[in-house]
Amino acid sequence: MEICKGVSSFAGVAIGKILYYHRGEYRVRQSMADSAKKEIEKFSAAREAVKSRLLFLYEHSPALSQERSYALERQMKLLEEGSFSRAVESLVMTEKVTAAYAVMTTRDGLTSSFRNLKDEVAREQLENVKQISNRLILELGGTRAQIDLGEEPVILISEELTPTELLEMDKEKLLAVVTHQGSIISHTSIMIRSMAMPALLDIEIREEWNGCQAVVDGYTGTLYVEPAPEILREYEMRRQADLKEKKELLKLRDRKDVTADGKEIGIFANINSLDDLSSVLFYGAAGIGLLRSEFQYLGRESYPRENELFRDYRRVADTMGEKPVVIRTVDLGADRQADYMDIPGEANPIMGNRGIRLCLDRKRMFRTQLCAIYRASAYGNLSIMYPMITSESELDEIEALTEEVKAGLREKKVPFREIRRGIMVETPAAALISDRLAKRVDFLSLGTNDLSQYTLAMDRQNPYLKSKYDDHHPAILKMIQMVVENGHRENCQVYICGELAADTELTETFLRMGVDALSVVPACVLPVRKAVLEAFAGRKVSDGKQTF
Ligand code: PEP
Ligand code: MG
């Protein structure tokens, strides 16, 4: 047995086999097609191939249950009937996407629209649609971007992992992630936390562990490779206890976020992809306080089209209904970029062309996203938020562009709503002029991950600064308090959506400051709700006022 100590980025216990991940094993998603006609031909051939395969199974599987034979019959019929194929073909023709991508999008659209079906027959039919879609995607070359993790769920170990690599993995197959590089507030760590799985950093990983049994203890930051039987037994018990504790927390799913002495606060969820939507609902978040839209741009070969973006936002709006959703316009650059973006190399990308700066440089890209968000606004309770703001002149430019976009929609008679607008306060500059910024928007949202790194002048990804990185530093807390006061003076709500929002040691402090909402990874919604419900027990909000 080997025991290694590292740093935990999410608590929990995982037990399973190790998969050592080498870079460069995955295929890149190809969504844009060279020729629509060729894609239609490929789709026809794939349909025939899947039909033959289903027929073979139907005729040569003697032990087939009645239910399964019936399902195969329905699936073959679906492949012959026109509506599913027509939907795919029309997507290929109108949007010039690959057939595999069109099948995937059609499947996801149907799944999302009919996910609440109660009728048993209709649910079965939806399941059939999913199954033939998956077979078709596979037949079409499996262009659904994924790093192959094999059949069984694994504990993934890797020297380091980028957000793009993580996006391309099937998260159902991940039990835990262990890396050597990285920091607990890197974008990769935040994404792993959204998946609610234990993760360790700072472990000197070794390739020969590939295939070994292991235990990840996300409470103490310990990795056991080939654990002794008694360790395995103990952790199996811990895992069961964890599940029990989570079950207890789940009882808080429908509770209002009000402290014992009546102070109210919104607890929202941060999401990094549409896959996180089910967790948002599962954990009972009051809304989505930060939709990081980067997932729409990473792990692909060209910029997403307006309709692709729109479809995702519409799905979020439909899923969340009247619950608020804050869509952050894309924060690309630094550690979030893809080859096709062709961002010139920078000596210091964290301080470089990222966030709103890049969007205002690439107005076509930005306009496309604004248009998609405004179009989707007609379908739910959406707000828009801009990242990395440092000045009022950036807001001037955004406003001018937004007016152009809205005028275009009006002209085309496309419905949209006048949605709430907010900015991320994640640079010291924005914090210091928050009195002026607050006059121009409906809400401010403190991005404490970036705000901390810029205030402390310490790269949040730098593993060597981990022990010196103090995100409870009085300078940071003082800034948060100042932004809340400035915001409230202008009737502007103030949220926190950085990782600090999930730090339950600070929940009472934030409540005292008067923060309007905390937005955290979905798995932290209930622990933070518990902290809110238990806050000020037997005391008043005003007791123990702090100065920083
Ligand atoms: C932040 O900086 O706190 C934030 C929420 O943005 P991101 O982590 O996506 O940079
Ligand atoms: Mg940020």
Side-chain angles (χ1 to χ4, degrees):
M1 174 169 80
E2 268 186 82
I3 304 176
C4 309
K5 274 272 179 200
V7 175
S8 167
S9 102
F10 193 77
V13 170
I15 303 172
K17 283 236 162 76
I18 287 181
L19 179 87
Y20 178 84
Y21 167 60
H22 301 259
R23 277 255 155 88
E25 274 176 346
Y26 60 95
R27 289 162 295 177
V28 176
R29 172 166 49 186
Q30 170 71 44
S31 66
M32 302 316 295
D34 293 326
S35 150
K37 189 166 166 271
K38 279 205 186 117
E39 289 305 314
I40 300 278
E41 286 167 7
K42 276 198 225 163
F43 177 55
S44 266
R47 265 170 58 201
E48 285 314 312
V50 172
K51 247 191 314 190
S52 316
R53 175 79 194 133
L54 294 180
L55 192 62
F56 180 86
L57 283 176
Y58 186 73
E59 289 176 343
H60 295 90
S61 311
L64 219 54
S65 68
Q66 209 178 354
E67 256 169 32
R68 182 81 186 112
S69 334
Y70 184 64
L72 286 177
E73 278 170 21
R74 296 293 309 154
Q75 288 175 20
M76 285 187 282
K77 199 139 197 251
L78 267 170
L79 283 164
E80 279 157 13
E81 275 169 2
S83 58
F84 178 77
S85 301
R86 270 200 304 277
V88 173
E89 285 169 2
S90 121
L91 213 57
V92 171
M93 294 305 288
T94 53
E95 305 215 20
K96 310 275 182 298
V97 290
T98 61
Y101 187 82
V103 171
M104 191 174 82
T105 309
T106 309
R107 176 201 61 190
D108 291 349
L110 287 168
T111 312
S112 143
S113 309
F114 298 113
R115 71 186 185 290
N116 291 327
L117 281 180
K118 297 269 178 304
D119 176 44
E120 206 47 45
V121 178
R123 284 166 75 97
E124 270 171 31
Q125 189 65 339
L126 189 61
E127 192 47 43
N128 287 329
V129 169
K130 279 199 235 169
Q131 291 199 11
I132 58 163
S133 302
N134 293 343
R135 283 185 184 276
L136 283 166
I137 292 168
L138 215 70
E139 188 63 36
L140 286 160
T143 50
R144 208 172 109 108
Q146 264 180 12
I147 295 174
D148 188 8
L149 296 177
E151 291 304 311
E152 293 299 315
V154 290
I155 294 171
L156 187 96
I157 64 168
S158 175
E159 184 56 29
E160 62 178 330
L161 213 55
T162 65
T164 309
E165 284 168 315
L166 199 58
L167 268 178
E168 289 172 354
M169 288 178 187
D170 176 0
K171 70 176 188 182
E172 302 289 319
K173 300 271 176 62
L174 282 176
L175 295 169
V177 175
V178 179
T179 60
H180 183 209
Q181 305 287 344
S183 82
I184 57 169
I185 55 165
S186 69
H187 291 125
T188 306
S189 292
I190 292 171
M191 283 170 68
I192 295 171
R193 270 200 290 285
S194 304
M195 299 175 190
M197 73 176 78
L200 307 182
L201 309 160
D202 237 3
I203 301 268
E204 296 257 4
I205 54 154
R206 299 220 311 270
E207 188 169 355
E208 58 269 27
W209 291 343
N210 193 33
C212 291
Q213 174 86 355
V215 168
V216 173
D217 177 351
Y219 293 100
T220 60
T222 314
L223 172 73
Y224 299 85
V225 182
E226 294 295 8
E230 63 277 13
I231 296 278
L232 207 57
R233 261 198 309 278
E234 187 192 321
Y235 275 100
E236 195 41 64
M237 275 157 56
R238 291 271 298 272
R239 214 162 59 96
Q240 296 303 332
D242 257 13
L243 290 175
K244 217 166 136 199
E245 195 179 318
K246 277 186 192 137
K247 245 176 151 174
E248 274 303 301
L249 267 179
L250 282 174
K251 292 184 182 154
L252 303 180
R253 243 187 332 198
D254 301 319
R255 289 284 292 271
K256 277 201 112 191
D257 299 307
V258 184
T259 62
D261 72 344
K263 173 102 186 114
E264 226 176 297
I265 191 165
I267 302 194
F268 296 147
N270 294 345
I271 68 167
N272 300 313
S273 81
L274 299 193
D275 292 342
D276 296 337
L277 279 176
S278 60
S279 316
V280 174
L281 300 178
F282 183 73
Y283 293 115
I288 293 175
L290 168 65
L291 180 153
R292 288 186 170 94
S293 59
E294 294 76 50
F295 73 91
Q296 297 176 298
Y297 295 76
L298 300 177
R300 51 183 300 140
E301 292 173 350
S302 56
Y303 285 109
R305 298 202 172 180
E306 185 186 312
N307 271 344
E308 281 178 66
L309 298 171
F310 164 73
R311 263 199 302 273
D312 284 352
Y313 302 142
R314 166 131 195 219
R315 191 168 143 204
V316 178
D318 284 344
T319 307
M320 297 302 292
E322 273 317 299
K323 287 190 176 173
V325 175
V326 178
I327 299 179
R328 179 178 75 183
T329 58
V330 72
D331 181 2
L332 297 168
D335 63 333
R336 294 187 282 213
Q337 38 183 300
D339 287 348
Y340 71 87
M341 291 168 198
D342 212 12
I343 299 175
E346 295 171 311
N348 196 348
I350 287 294
M351 304 270 208
N353 202 7
R354 60 171 289 202
I356 202 68
R357 299 169 197 162
L358 191 80
C359 285
L360 293 174
D361 264 7
R362 299 181 182 207
K363 291 221 167 57
R364 191 159 157 222
M365 168 185 94
F366 193 37
R367 199 180 283 115
T368 305
Q369 189 180 26
L370 291 177
C371 214
I373 295 173
Y374 272 89
R375 275 174 62 197
S377 69
Y379 300 92
N381 184 0
L382 302 187
S383 307
I384 190 166
M385 174 163 80
Y386 315 108
M388 291 296 294
I389 294 288
T390 54
S391 70
E392 283 192 82
S393 62
E394 287 161 344
L395 272 185
D396 295 339
E397 273 191 83
I398 296 169
E399 275 166 17
L401 211 59
T402 307
E403 285 313 311
E404 257 178 51
V405 164
K406 290 197 289 193
L409 292 176
R410 270 186 216 107
E411 204 175 282
K412 289 191 217 138
K413 303 216 175 336
V414 177
F416 68 89
R417 288 189 196 167
E418 287 298 345
I419 52 180
R420 294 171 75 239
R421 297 164 52 253
I423 62 164
M424 299 261 321
V425 177
E426 51 185 342
T427 63
L432 288 167
I433 60 162
S434 52
D435 52 344
R436 286 186 240 163
L437 296 172
K439 291 188 204 308
R440 302 187 52 167
V441 289
D442 303 296
F443 63 95
L444 303 173
S445 190
L446 282 143
T448 49
N449 308 335
D450 278 316
L451 187 61
S452 307
Q453 74 169 343
Y454 295 127
T455 304
L456 301 173
M458 287 189 198
D459 180 354
R460 70 197 243 193
Q461 313 254 28
N462 187 332
Y464 303 105
L465 298 176
K466 242 176 259 162
S467 60
K468 301 186 169 74
Y469 199 94
D470 173 16
D471 56 4
H472 288 204
H473 193 292
I476 297 165
L477 297 176
K478 208 168 177 167
M479 249 186 217
I480 297 175
Q481 187 165 39
M482 181 182 87
V483 173
V484 176
E485 285 166 7
N486 283 341
H488 286 176
R489 216 170 285 126
E490 300 300 334
N491 271 335
C492 180
Q493 291 207 310
V494 183
Y495 313 146
I496 302 180
C497 67
E499 293 304 291
L500 213 54
D503 186 336
T504 48
E505 270 180 46
L506 289 173
T507 308
E508 283 200 1
T509 303
F510 294 148
L511 284 162
R512 268 198 204 97
M513 286 179 179
V515 168
D516 298 290
L518 297 171
S519 196
V520 298
V521 294
C524 289
V525 164
L526 295 178
V528 173
R529 177 165 294 155
K530 185 165 181 272
V532 166
L533 294 171
E534 288 171 358
F536 311 119
R539 287 169 295 138
K540 291 206 182 77
V541 182
S542 52
D543 288 350
K545 247 199 175 336
Q546 285 153 291
T547 42
F548 304 103

